[in-house]
């Protein structure tokens, strides 16, 4: 009798596994795919001269503009490598992105732009310049359907080099945006 009960129990387990496997086969691949995301180019918010009287704004420094491109590429690479998002190509809307720039203050245009390329999430990056050596790098993740920021990470850097800017982006992705919380105390 005990052997039959065990046999029936095993058969039920096998039946459940088969049903689960069949159910997974019937789930559309899109339901299992990572959500689509667009990475907008980082923008510079230069506050370094705002309190200087009689100084004309000098515009964006060519080196800082180049660094914005470098950290945008790095953020894109890190998001792709994470597997959490399927990063879409912004090229089809590049002219519109340039026209609406800076994206961080276009009053929701980032959601409309993201929808045009089928993205469900939008990454917006800013570098706030307080002085020639003090910067705050921020990354915002917007849920396009909800039209709101769902995650944000910032970090300050003291230095104006490629290495410092890249380090900030890598840190934000690894330790702030995608850090898995363990337990309630963290």
């Amino acid at each position: 009798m005990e052997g039959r009960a065990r046999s029936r129990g095993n058969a039920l387990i096998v039946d459940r596994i088969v049903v689960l496997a069949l159910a997974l086969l019937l789930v559309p691949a899109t339901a299992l795919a990572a959500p689509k995301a667009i990475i907008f180019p980082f923008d510079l918010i230069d506050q370094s001269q705002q309190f200087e009287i009689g100084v004309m704004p000098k515009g964006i420094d060519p080196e800082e503009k180049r660094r914005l491109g470098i950290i945008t590429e790095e953020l894109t690479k890190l998001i792709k490598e994470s597997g959490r998002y399927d990063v879409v190509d912004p090229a089809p809307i590049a002219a519109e992105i340039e026209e609406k720039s800076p994206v961080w203050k276009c009053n929701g245009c980032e959601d409309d732009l993201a929808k045009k390329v089928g993205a469900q999430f939008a990454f917006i990056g800013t570098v706030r310049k307080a002085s020639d050596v003090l910067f705050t790098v921020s990354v915002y993740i917007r849920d396009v359907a909800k039209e709101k920021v769902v995650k944000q990470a910032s970090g300050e850097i003291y230095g104006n080099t490629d290495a410092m800017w890249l380090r900030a982006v890598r840190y934000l992705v690894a330790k702030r945006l995608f850090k898995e919380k363990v337990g309630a105390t963290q």
Side-chain angles (χ1 to χ4, degrees):
M1 183 82 170
E2 186 179 308
R4 274 190 184 160
R6 188 175 293 154
S7 212
R8 279 191 204 142
N10 289 340
L12 285 174
I13 291 172
V14 169
D15 287 347
R16 289 179 180 159
I17 291 171
V18 169
V19 169
L20 178 63
L22 288 173
L24 287 175
L25 288 174
L26 297 175
V27 173
T30 55
L32 299 176
K36 293 187 181 301
I38 185 170
I39 314 293
F40 287 106
F42 272 84
D43 287 311
L44 183 72
I45 305 167
D46 189 352
Q47 297 178 320
S48 64
Q49 296 179 3
Q50 74 180 17
F51 299 112
E52 294 183 31
I53 299 172
V55 176
M56 293 294 294
K58 59 184 174 185
I60 188 167
D61 178 273
E63 275 299 294
E64 291 167 353
K65 184 171 182 146
R66 184 184 63 76
R67 284 189 188 106
L68 291 171
I70 289 172
I71 63 173
T72 299
E73 289 173 14
E74 184 69 11
L75 179 62
T76 302
K77 181 185 98 169
L78 293 171
I79 300 305
K80 284 179 180 178
E81 288 174 355
S82 79
R84 294 172 185 259
Y85 296 92
D86 177 15
V87 178
V88 299
D89 184 6
I93 58 168
E96 290 179 79
I97 293 171
E98 183 65 32
E99 177 187 315
K100 307 267 186 197
S101 208
V103 174
W104 63 273
K105 68 177 197 175
C106 70
N107 296 319
C109 76
E110 65 273 23
D111 296 324
D112 295 331
L113 291 169
K115 288 174 188 173
K116 287 184 178 187
V117 291
Q120 297 147 304
F121 291 89
F123 284 71
I124 296 100
T126 62
V127 177
R128 188 175 303 271
K129 179 179 179 177
S131 72
D132 286 337
V133 294
L134 177 60
F135 298 84
T136 302
V137 179
S138 300
V139 177
Y140 305 86
I141 305 175
R142 285 184 64 88
D143 182 319
V144 173
K146 294 178 182 174
E147 298 183 344
K148 70 176 194 173
V149 173
V150 292
K151 199 152 202 178
Q152 185 269 335
S154 295
E156 287 187 355
I157 56 174
Y158 301 92
N160 195 2
T161 65
D162 292 0
M164 292 300 290
W165 288 40
L166 286 166
R167 183 176 176 194
V169 169
R170 291 173 186 147
Y171 175 81
L172 292 178
V173 171
K175 303 292 185 184
R176 299 277 173 89
L177 290 176
F178 297 151
K179 180 179 179 185
E180 298 297 326
K181 294 196 180 214
V182 181
T185 58
Q186 285 188 330

